Amino acid sequence: MKKVTIPLIRLIPGLIIGPGSWLGPYIVMNSLFLPALIQHLDAANKVSLVALFSTMGMIVAAISNMVAGALSDRTRSRFGKRAPWIVVGAIAFMISMIWASFSTGIANLLIAWMVGQAALNFIVAPMVAWIDFAPEDGKGAASSAYGGLGMALGNNGFNVVGALFLSQYRLGFVIFGIIAFVGTLIAVLIVHEPSNLEEKLEQPAKKEKVSWSALSTVFPKWSIGRDYYLALIAKMFQGVGNFAITGYILYIMTDFLHQGSQTQSSIQLINMVMLVFGILMGLLAGPASDKFKVLKYPVAYSTIFLAIAALALFFFFRNTTGILIYAFFAGLGMGLWNALDNLLNLRVIPDQDRVAFFLGVYNLGNTVTQAIAPIIAAAVISIFGYSAIFFVSFGFALVGGICMLQIKSVAR
């Protein structure tokens, strides 16, 4: 069976617009609008409630991501195997965020948010598999477009605008829910997957009972999937290190740094600096990786910049200078990581017939770690205070880099 290849002239714009369109609105709502609405509904329990939403979101995201990836891998349609699920997920995500905007109680908001988490992962798991449609000599550029430019746009670009809606967070849910749908749809139309109706699916010889051996065909044992699992562990640790800070950035600005009326402008400043570095790395890192055949080392060493950023606000300056130092190093580290980590994961996938499944599980690092990090951060805050978050971020980022360096199948 001939492998589907999509020209970079179509694929790269889709890989920039697509992840930016789902990640940007999600980041804004997760880090700004959701905490603001929770604070409005139950200010006394806001920290523990953010952790509750994160815990439930992690469970829903993990399940829905694996289901979405597996369904996508086995889909045949005139619109390809990824596009139908991406569009359905985008519609459901938009509706759930509009639903969340009208929530008048924590229970209703929690249900809407969980539906949104499930819908989001029906976008994420199939979309990241678009990278595999790139020509072999352009996969670095494709990964850089998705992780570097698209993720930079999503992680930081939208927050600059999102901060303007801090006082109108209910309206923000509606607007950014619609943006997610429209942007995702545009990306699907640009990529324009070809029909795969002629693609044959491998059928199992017979139905097997649920057993450890059957489960091992879904998740290969360590000796087979070692490098993939190391990359996944690294992604989780790096993600927690990053999101432990960004998940509580609103409360850090107000309760730790006491920015007061400067909170909005400080958040915008961080995201503008990180956006610039994210775009810069997105433009340079992928093509440089393709040219110099280096991949593992820049991804692993990017965590050093994240570790430095984590300590900047605590050890150096608890003011605008400290915020700039944090933004500089975090932007450099995240830009480099996002530009190349999906390509590295593509190199260590243990089963090339299930690309969407394994890339989708790997990319749980973008959703599940945003759920895990606030849980850890909430516990740390309640025991040691806000300053301890930065030490947690420092430690997790370094462990992520060490795990990445242990990968053997990617030499450098």
Side-chain angles (χ1 to χ4, degrees):
M1 180 180 66
K2 186 178 179 181
K3 186 175 180 180
V4 173
T5 300
I6 295 177
L8 291 180
I9 195 171
R10 292 206 326 257
L11 195 58
I12 284 180
L15 286 170
I16 296 173
I17 296 171
S21 296
W22 68 256
L23 180 61
Y26 172 70
I27 289 288
V28 170
M29 289 183 274
N30 185 62
S31 63
L32 299 179
F33 301 158
L34 182 64
L37 184 51
I38 288 174
Q39 182 170 260
H40 171 73
L41 296 175
D42 191 349
N45 299 300
K46 65 182 182 181
V47 173
S48 60
L49 282 172
V50 168
L52 171 64
F53 274 66
S54 297
T55 303
M56 297 297 293
M58 175 182 63
I59 296 170
V60 171
I63 296 172
S64 59
N65 192 286
M66 289 185 286
V67 171
L71 289 174
S72 173
D73 283 332
R74 297 186 61 80
T75 294
R76 289 178 295 176
S77 80
R78 57 174 295 206
F79 303 107
K81 60 171 60 177
R82 317 298 182 195
W85 295 107
I86 294 172
V87 173
V88 168
I91 293 172
F93 183 69
M94 175 181 64
I95 293 173
S96 63
M97 292 303 99
I98 294 174
W99 173 10
S101 73
F102 289 99
S103 298
T104 55
I106 292 296
N108 191 41
L109 178 61
L110 179 62
I111 295 171
W113 190 252
M114 292 308 102
V115 173
Q117 288 286 305
L120 184 72
N121 282 279
F122 272 83
I123 304 173
V124 177
M127 184 177 287
V128 70
W130 277 350
I131 296 173
D132 197 42
F133 289 148
E136 199 58 40
D137 61 353
K139 288 192 186 298
S143 175
S144 195
Y146 182 97
L149 298 173
M151 299 289 276
L153 178 64
N155 274 314
N156 308 115
F158 280 76
N159 267 338
V160 176
V161 179
L164 300 175
F165 289 86
L166 267 176
S167 61
Q168 301 180 71
Y169 43 83
R170 290 187 185 274
L171 176 61
F173 273 108
V174 176
I175 291 176
F176 282 85
I178 294 172
I179 289 174
F181 166 69
V182 173
T184 301
L185 182 61
I186 290 173
V188 168
L189 293 174
I190 291 174
V191 171
H192 190 60
E193 285 184 56
S195 169
N196 71 327
L197 287 172
E198 302 302 319
E199 180 179 323
K200 293 182 179 180
L201 294 175
E202 291 185 8
Q203 298 296 330
K206 61 179 181 178
K207 292 184 178 180
E208 296 184 6
K209 294 180 179 179
V210 176
S211 64
W212 177 254
S213 61
L215 184 62
S216 68
T217 64
V218 179
F219 289 101
K221 57 186 178 181
W222 179 265
S223 60
I224 296 175
R226 175 189 179 276
D227 286 352
Y228 173 80
Y229 293 132
L230 282 171
L232 180 59
I233 292 169
K235 178 82 166 181
M236 292 294 183
F237 272 85
Q238 182 270 354
V240 170
N242 178 52
F243 293 121
I245 294 177
T246 59
Y248 277 94
I249 194 66
L250 178 61
Y251 300 160
I252 288 172
M253 289 297 167
T254 57
D255 298 356
F256 178 69
L257 296 177
H258 307 291
Q259 288 289 292
S261 61
Q262 299 300 311
T263 294
Q264 176 179 307
S265 60
S266 295
I267 292 175
Q268 288 178 311
L269 175 62
I270 288 174
N271 285 288
M272 280 298 297
V273 174
M274 292 184 70
L275 175 62
V276 169
F277 278 99
I279 291 174
L280 186 63
M281 291 299 101
L283 291 171
L284 300 177
S289 176
D290 284 334
K291 181 176 181 179
F292 299 108
K293 309 301 179 186
V294 61
L295 180 58
K296 179 174 71 175
Y297 291 149
V299 174
Y301 294 145
S302 69
T303 60
I304 295 175
F305 296 117
L306 292 175
I308 293 172
L311 298 182
L313 286 177
F314 182 72
F315 273 121
F316 300 142
F317 306 96
R318 299 186 185 183
N319 52 26
T320 303
T321 302
I323 291 171
L324 277 171
I325 294 172
Y326 167 79
F328 176 86
F329 284 104
L332 188 57
M334 284 303 299
L336 191 56
W337 176 283
N338 286 334
L340 297 175
D341 78 311
N342 279 305
L343 177 59
L344 188 145
N345 185 247
L346 194 61
R347 301 297 190 208
V348 298
I349 284 176
D351 184 351
Q352 293 296 324
D353 290 329
R354 293 190 292 150
V355 170
F357 175 79
F358 284 109
L359 281 179
V361 171
Y362 182 73
N363 271 271
L364 281 173
N366 294 319
T367 50
V368 170
T369 54
Q370 290 184 62
I372 297 173
I375 298 169
I376 296 173
V380 169
I381 291 170
S382 64
I383 299 173
F384 302 105
Y386 279 97
S387 59
I389 294 179
F390 304 105
F391 289 101
V392 170
S393 179
F394 174 84
F396 271 80
L398 284 186
V399 170
I402 292 170
C403 288
M404 194 63 76
L405 287 172
Q406 302 309 307
I407 291 174
K408 294 179 178 179
S409 58
V410 179
R412 60 191 184 101

